[in-house]
Amino acid sequence: MVGDAENHVAGRTIAAIASPPGRGGVGVVRVSGPLAQAIGLTVSGRGDLQPRYCHFATFRDSRGEPLDQGLVVFFPGPRSFTGEDVVELHGHGGPAVLNGILQAAFDAGAEAAEAGEFTRRAFLNDRMDLSQAEAVAELIEADSLAGARAALRSLEGEFGRQVEQLAEELADLRVFVEGSLDFPDEDVDFLATGDVDGRLSAVRERLTRLRERASTGVRLSEGFLVVLAGRPNAGKSSLLNCLAGRESAIVTERAGTTRDILREKVALDGFHVELADTAGLRETDDPVEREGVRRARDLVERADLVFFLVDSQQGWTSEDAREWGRLPEDRRVALWTKADLDAAEGAPAISCTGEPGVGPLEEELRRRLPLQGGGDALGARQRHLEVLDRVATELASAAGTLQNYGSGDLVAQDLRRAHEALGEITGRVHSDDLLGRIFATFCIGK
Ligand SMILES: Nc1nc2c(ncn2[C@@H]2O[C@H](COP(=O)(O)OP(=O)(O)OP(=O)(O)O)[C@@H](O)[C@H]2O)c(=O)[nH]1
Ligand SMILES: [Mg+2]
């Protein structure tokens, strides 16, 4: 880590446009590194920069030609975002102006920042742990308020703290179990007296809870995929159009109209739900339709929720029963369609053209997706879930060994692996490769 820190942090002074591409009232060029203050003085033409103070200035290029008027702010390290000296140049938000200011910073000694390099430096300078650094990206990418709140919770360090706490409990357990290995001849059964079993179950329970909170966070940021499935002519495409508010899919009275998957984003209670219309499920000899059905079945496997639409006029047929049986049990909901034509009983019913409308479907979405339940979600990424799963596997293995009166040696190994894996979340244990992969997903200027 020290080598890495020296390579990336000490030498170069980096600069990038930190505001989004396009035009806006203001735009920001951020500079970080040992030359930041000097660059701020040169570009702004000022004689001094008071720390954390907004100075009005005229920005000039290397030949002294004026570029823009704006504000310059100097954040001396280590009390800055990256932990180094940072200067922000706030100009007008147009591409020509901002590129001009950026070029002026380059001419004064800065180099182009890589994707995520500001946040990477913040991590390497201990301004934040890895889960916080990643939460910066989540917060910027969030397109729902609940997703943003979850990311902020992680940015504030909640996720990292929870992980650290788990890591500490694991460390205590390791110390105890490894300590018992030093006295193999003792009569006393160390593992039994230390209630290793009980402590291990407590850690596993906390881990499960943390996994749930993180998993909700991932789903909030990735959005929910809701698939409309059902036999041909059930009314899937009509429903997609109705919810999207536009004629996205072709609707005809002919069975087997849709073949491709059609996606539409719809907003529900401030969330983006991705709806997918699919080919009607049936056995067919038509190769094009068959491919459509295959894609539909594939997509169903990845869905957060599957609405299985059944034409009220046709009623529940044996084909419906067969297709229903192939859907994932925990994620399927039956919905009667065309309720304006025929009143259905039992399952919720909807209509695209008349009463009762699509309200019952929205109710099901609210009930089935953790839209409100995102209350204590933690902004997280798929990578974190994978690490937590690995930790869970190691701990399950440790518990199994304990139960079978296995050797303390094996338990100790499982605990060590679980403990080390946890460190990958906060970055206590990291490799350049892991950092490279994480920060590559950031954009330049972050
Ligand atoms: N009265 C009424 N007719 C509907 C309703 N929804 C769909 N229909 C009709 O049912 C027929 C089939 O609708 P689609 O939306 O194309 O059905 P689909 O499930 O997409 O069919 P495939 O793409 O062939 O699988 C069309 O003639 C629609 O106009 C509804 O709510 N009320
Ligand atoms: Mg269709």
Side-chain angles (χ1 to χ4, degrees), residues 27-305:
V28 179
V29 170
R30 182 152 63 179
V31 184
S32 177
L35 294 179
Q37 186 180 15
I39 291 169
L41 292 171
T42 305
V43 176
S44 70
R46 290 187 51 90
D48 72 326
L49 290 171
Q50 209 178 312
R52 289 176 294 282
Y53 190 89
C54 279
H55 297 281
F56 182 73
T58 297
F59 302 141
R60 293 176 191 276
D61 68 16
S62 55
R63 289 165 315 181
E65 295 292 328
L67 290 163
D68 193 10
Q69 291 185 324
L71 300 173
V72 52
V73 193
F74 173 46
F75 302 91
R79 283 178 59 200
S80 71
F81 178 69
T82 58
E84 310 168 325
D85 282 359
V86 169
V87 156
E88 285 183 5
L89 301 158
H90 298 226
H92 291 96
V97 171
L98 291 176
N99 280 313
I101 297 174
L102 182 62
Q103 186 57 50
F106 289 159
D107 291 341
E111 292 172 44
E114 290 165 18
E117 197 171 356
F118 290 95
T119 318
R120 182 182 185 133
R121 290 181 175 205
F123 165 68
L124 291 173
N125 285 326
D126 287 333
R127 298 295 292 167
M128 50 178 71
D129 72 28
L130 204 46
S131 67
Q132 287 174 302
E134 290 172 286
V136 173
E138 295 302 320
L139 187 61
I140 292 169
E141 274 152 31
D143 55 10
S144 74
L145 199 53
R149 283 202 197 104
L152 185 60
R153 245 171 256 134
S154 292
L155 181 58
E156 287 169 348
E158 167 91 5
F159 191 29
R161 272 195 301 277
Q162 294 284 337
V163 170
E164 283 299 337
Q165 210 167 333
L166 266 178
E168 247 163 62
E169 285 170 28
L170 271 180
D172 286 350
L173 261 181
R174 278 186 67 189
V175 167
F176 188 84
V177 172
E178 285 175 18
S180 76
L181 299 181
D182 296 338
F183 308 99
D185 297 332
E186 289 277 329
D187 284 337
V188 189
D189 184 351
F190 269 95
L191 300 185
T193 51
D195 189 25
V196 173
D197 208 7
R199 285 159 71 186
L200 185 56
S201 332
V203 171
R204 290 179 70 198
E205 267 166 41
R206 293 176 61 111
L207 180 70
T208 307
R209 180 76 196 107
L210 185 61
R211 168 81 169 69
E212 277 167 15
R213 294 179 68 187
S215 148
T216 308
V218 169
R219 292 173 66 190
L220 284 177
S221 68
E222 288 182 353
F224 297 99
L225 174 63
V226 175
V227 172
L228 306 177
R231 294 203 303 117
N233 253 354
K236 302 176 291 296
S237 301
S238 306
L239 180 57
L240 180 83
N241 291 348
C242 170
L243 291 167
R246 65 193 198 103
E247 297 300 305
S248 169
I250 299 173
V251 169
T252 73
E253 60 233 357
R254 217 165 78 193
T257 304
T258 307
R259 275 91 191 278
D260 287 314
I261 288 165
L262 275 145
R263 296 165 184 266
E264 286 286 336
K265 272 197 172 179
V266 300
L268 183 73
D269 304 341
F271 284 89
H272 286 290
V273 175
E274 183 159 79
L275 279 178
D277 177 26
T278 57
L281 301 169
R282 68 170 166 188
E283 305 301 325
T284 163
D285 291 333
D286 181 325
V288 182
E289 191 178 352
R290 212 165 47 219
E291 175 61 14
V293 171
R294 190 191 66 75
R295 292 182 184 201
R297 294 196 201 284
D298 258 14
L299 194 67
V300 157
E301 293 304 317
R302 285 185 280 129
D304 291 300
L305 193 64

